[in-house]
Amino acid sequence: MLNETDVAYSPITSDVKTINRAVIDIMPLALATVPWGILCGSLAINIGLTAIQAQLMSLLVFAGAAQLASITILGAAGAISSIFSSTFVISSRHLLYSAVFREHVRQRSFLSRSCIAFFLTDEMFAVTCAYIEKHKTFSALYAISAGITFYVVWNVSTFAGIVAGQYIPNLESLGLEFAIAATFIAIVIPSIKDISILIAVIVSGFSALVLSIYIPDSALMIATITGMLAGYFTPIKE
């Protein structure tokens, strides 16, 4: 039988366990993006941004793929409109993520919804969906804890890249961008649980490879739509 002390502290204990679980679950994916963060920080320095500007990009934007795209365009003296259009296309997947979370967060406070929105990344979405599937419930504490953990690791990685970029020339030649592909592979593979998802992954991946040769500016968007349509129209056997 629980005594008064146990009853008083059990919610706190439960919250601590939830936070610990979130940290443990997100950490492998967070560590996998360390080379990616280092690359972002070093490239930002190489194109002429100050250390503060480079760090603020990770602190305020907090979107790895969008950061890399905008840094690349800035380095090539591209137009501001190109930065907005590219980052919009790259980040449009978050519209799908937010649609999935909508019913879970709509009754929560504005502050809670804002925190979840800011820390929403591919990695946070993946582990939170796995948590929902396992526990049959949504935990804002779990989602935010996972998001904050990833945020800290990402910004520490960016800082390391900023420092390294000032002392190690041609850091981008080390092939650190492979971490981008590796991270997304680690996220996607566990989600392939039926033939329609498998078809969507294969079609979108193949389309992206082919289209990037001929129409690199639109390859990602077209491949995404093609993969979604392929998965949607794949017949599911009863």
Side-chain angles (χ1 to χ4, degrees):
M1 181 179 295
L2 293 175
N3 56 38
E4 292 183 0
T5 303
D6 292 328
V7 173
Y9 283 95
S10 58
I12 297 177
T13 303
S14 178
D15 288 347
V16 171
K17 288 182 177 179
T18 299
I19 294 171
N20 289 339
R21 184 74 263 165
V23 173
I24 293 171
D25 290 346
I26 195 72
M27 191 57 71
L29 292 175
L31 293 178
T33 62
V34 168
W36 189 354
I38 293 174
L39 181 62
C40 272
S42 62
L43 284 177
I45 295 299
N46 288 343
I47 68 168
L49 295 183
T50 66
I52 293 177
Q53 290 171 332
Q55 191 65 59
L56 282 174
M57 179 173 281
S58 282
L59 287 168
L60 302 179
V61 178
F62 186 40
Q67 286 179 228
L68 277 178
S70 58
I71 288 171
T72 301
I73 295 172
L74 282 172
I80 296 296
S81 58
S82 297
I83 295 177
F84 278 113
S85 60
S86 297
T87 54
F88 175 80
V89 171
I90 292 171
S91 301
S92 60
R93 66 191 187 280
H94 286 76
L95 295 174
L96 299 176
Y97 297 164
S98 60
V100 173
F101 282 172
R102 180 176 181 272
E103 291 303 317
H104 297 296
V105 304
R106 61 184 305 180
Q107 301 300 327
R108 299 187 179 275
S109 67
F110 176 77
L111 178 60
S112 177
R113 286 183 281 120
S114 297
C115 287
I116 293 171
F118 179 77
F119 292 114
L120 180 58
T121 59
D122 304 287
E123 294 78 8
M124 189 267 259
F125 178 79
V127 298
T128 302
C129 284
Y131 181 92
I132 294 173
E133 184 176 353
K134 180 179 180 180
H135 298 278
K136 309 304 178 184
T137 185
F138 174 84
S139 170
L141 178 62
Y142 179 93
I144 294 173
S145 299
I148 291 175
T149 302
F150 188 82
Y151 181 77
V152 171
V153 173
W154 176 255
N155 276 279
V156 171
S157 303
T158 302
F159 178 76
I162 292 171
V163 174
Q166 298 180 63
Y167 299 101
I168 303 176
N170 301 319
L171 191 62
E172 64 275 10
S173 64
L174 298 179
L176 298 178
E177 66 273 11
F178 178 74
I180 303 173
T183 301
F184 280 104
I185 290 172
I187 292 173
V188 170
I189 295 300
S191 68
I192 302 177
K193 298 179 179 179
D194 57 55
I195 188 64
S196 62
I197 298 177
L198 177 61
I199 294 297
V201 170
I202 293 174
V203 171
S204 59
F206 181 76
S207 300
L209 287 173
V210 174
L211 293 173
S212 62
I213 299 174
Y214 300 101
I215 45 174
D217 292 339
S218 306
L220 179 62
M221 181 171 60
I222 296 176
T224 300
I225 295 173
T226 303
M228 291 173 61
L229 291 174
Y232 179 79
F233 288 109
T234 297
I236 301 177
K237 295 181 179 180
E238 297 292 340

